[in-house]
Amino acid sequence: MTPDGPVPADRAGGSLTIDLGAIAANWRTLAVVAGPAECAAVVKADAYGLGVAAVAPVLAAAGCRSFFVAQLDEGIALRGLLGPAPSVFVLNGIPPGTAAEFDAHRLLPVLNSATQVVEWQRLATSRERPLAAAIQLDTGMSRFGLSPDEVHGLAQRPDGFAGIAARLVMSHLACADEPGHPANESQREAFARLRPLLPPAPASLAASFGIFLGPSYHLDMVRPGVALFGGAASHSPSLRPVVRLQGRIVQTRRIPAGAFVGYGARFVAERPSRIATVAVGYADGFLRAGGGQGAACLPGGGPPLPIVGRISMDCLGVDVTDAPEAALQDGMALDLIGPHRPLEDAAAAAGTIGYEMLTALGHRYHRRYLPDAPPGR
Ligand SMILES: *Cc1c(COP(=O)(O)O)cnc(C)c1O
């Protein structure tokens, strides 16, 4: 049993349904595509907003043995959820002065800089034993990782990596969602050049979109995040949608041609229209910048129903003129993300990406988790 969220269905402005079976199925699909490389799972930022307490145990049950989070406290929480067996990597590495906590919770820091390497080595010296960690290389993204100069510097010193039991050598691709981008190949080559200078360890380069670049990017481990959660469905027909987001119709009104909708009167009706006010707004992750774009639809499908006017904090307007009148009533739900309204499309219409949309959804929705195994099995 997975606990549903604290907001009761009958009074929430919207509902968020998260299909845990689809997350497990997506992990298995990616594990097959990437095999024989190990398939890890990235569950940072509360599993991309979907709830790490529900998501991580399902992934572990599906067979995932290595998990990535961004921050120390996310790692401590995940260790508590999953027990001692899985590897838990912390992508942002060691904040100054916290190395002992990583060791206490058996977390694997991703060492991103010479400073973080030294911090981990100091602890290893005081504990008089090598300490396990991942080492990240900057192969061009200029975000995290040892620079080529730092790698060469450390490699020339006999004690450069002393005390570090390297469990993984990794880097991250900047442009993996653009298969033709030359940065992909140049990062892959930079990684291959630097890797022999590091202590021998399994290697990892690909996140979700890197997996679809092909086997030369899989190396020993892949690290998908968003593809597990339905954000890469357009890249592979075998990945399943995970999230359904529904907003409740508070009221519906008829307006004549020339009437406007919402703050700033940014939408003016060109024809006599029916407008539904839906109780989801920018406080629920429907970013104001996306106002006047995108669409909702009836739960069973049908024509796209345009989102019109500016998005308010607690509501948005939907032009439901083209929906059959009998299909609509106050209190019913419209799909904002769902089987007929893919996450990637909803995000693109709002001028953003699935990652941002998921992590922005917030905590006012009624949350429902569909269990991994069908009931009765
Ligand atoms: C977030 C992140 C991932 C997962 O990325 P997706 O595109 O969501 O699959 C993998 N590796 C690193 C270093 C990350 O920061």
Side-chain angles (χ1 to χ4, degrees):
M1 276 296 287
T2 311
D4 284 355
V7 186
D10 56 353
R11 56 194 70 199
S15 68
L16 185 61
T17 305
I18 296 155
D19 186 343
L20 295 172
I23 295 175
N26 289 342
W27 183 83
R28 287 188 207 101
T29 296
L30 295 167
V32 168
V33 173
E38 179 187 350
C39 190
V42 181
V43 295
K44 61 196 180 190
D46 198 26
Y48 292 46
L50 300 184
V52 71
V55 167
V58 164
L59 289 165
C64 183
R65 290 172 285 120
S66 297
F67 291 81
F68 288 81
V69 293
Q71 299 183 349
L72 169 60
D73 285 333
E74 293 176 342
I76 293 172
L78 188 61
R79 178 60 76 209
L81 285 167
L82 297 181
S87 299
V88 175
F89 294 90
V90 178
L91 288 166
N92 286 10
I94 310 170
T98 64
E101 287 196 68
F102 281 79
D103 188 42
H105 297 276
R106 293 191 41 259
L107 304 176
L108 297 157
V110 175
L111 303 175
N112 290 312
S113 64
T115 313
Q116 292 186 355
V117 168
V118 168
E119 185 109 13
W120 203 234
Q121 285 174 319
R122 282 214 188 98
L123 187 69
T125 304
S126 76
R127 299 280 152 95
E128 298 181 341
R129 57 182 163 89
L131 294 176
I135 301 172
Q136 175 143 236
L137 303 174
D138 178 18
T139 53
M141 195 173 177
S142 309
R143 194 178 72 160
F144 289 119
L146 299 170
S147 68
D149 281 352
E150 284 177 313
V151 173
H152 282 105
L154 286 166
Q156 275 160 18
R157 300 206 334 245
D159 61 347
F161 294 100
I164 295 171
R167 290 281 198 79
L168 188 69
V169 175
M170 61 176 278
S171 191
H172 193 52
L173 299 170
C175 307
D177 56 342
E178 298 174 55
H181 200 294
N184 294 322
E185 203 50 26
S186 79
Q187 287 197 264
R188 195 175 70 79
E189 284 165 5
F191 190 72
R193 274 197 305 275
L194 291 170
R195 193 182 158 193
L197 301 174
L198 295 173
S204 177
L205 193 53
S208 293
F209 293 101
I211 295 173
F212 304 117
L213 293 178
S216 63
Y217 287 83
H218 296 166
L219 306 182
D220 301 306
M221 179 201 276
V222 297
R223 314 182 305 268
V226 82
L228 300 170
F229 307 126
S234 66
H235 272 65
S236 165
S238 46
L239 292 171
R240 285 167 49 185
V242 168
V243 169
R244 182 170 208 171
L245 180 67
Q246 299 187 303
R248 188 166 50 80
I249 297 180
V250 179
Q251 61 178 163
T252 306
R253 71 184 65 247
R254 292 176 183 283
I255 60 170
F260 59 78
V261 175
Y263 283 120
R266 288 307 163 95
F267 173 81
V268 178
E270 286 174 0
R271 56 176 178 169
S273 303
R274 279 182 299 141
I275 303 295
T277 301
V278 171
V280 167
Y282 58 74
D284 306 297
F286 260 72
L287 307 181
R288 186 173 176 280
Q293 302 160 76
C297 73
L298 292 170
L305 306 171
I307 295 172
V308 294
R310 279 201 180 139
I311 291 173
S312 301
M313 185 182 293
D314 310 300
C315 68
L316 51 79
V318 177
D319 183 343
V320 295
T321 314
D322 293 334
E325 192 152 0
L328 289 169
Q329 64 201 52
D330 292 353
M332 72 173 278
L334 293 181
D335 278 13
L336 295 165
I337 300 170
H340 308 284
R341 189 73 199 141
L343 169 65
E344 285 168 287
D345 293 3
T352 183
I353 52 176
Y355 301 74
E356 188 179 40
M357 194 151 218
L358 290 182
T359 54
L361 289 175
H363 296 281
R364 292 205 299 186
Y365 297 105
H366 169 66
R367 280 188 181 223
R368 203 156 67 93
Y369 288 98
L370 304 181
D372 183 14
R377 200 171 71 183

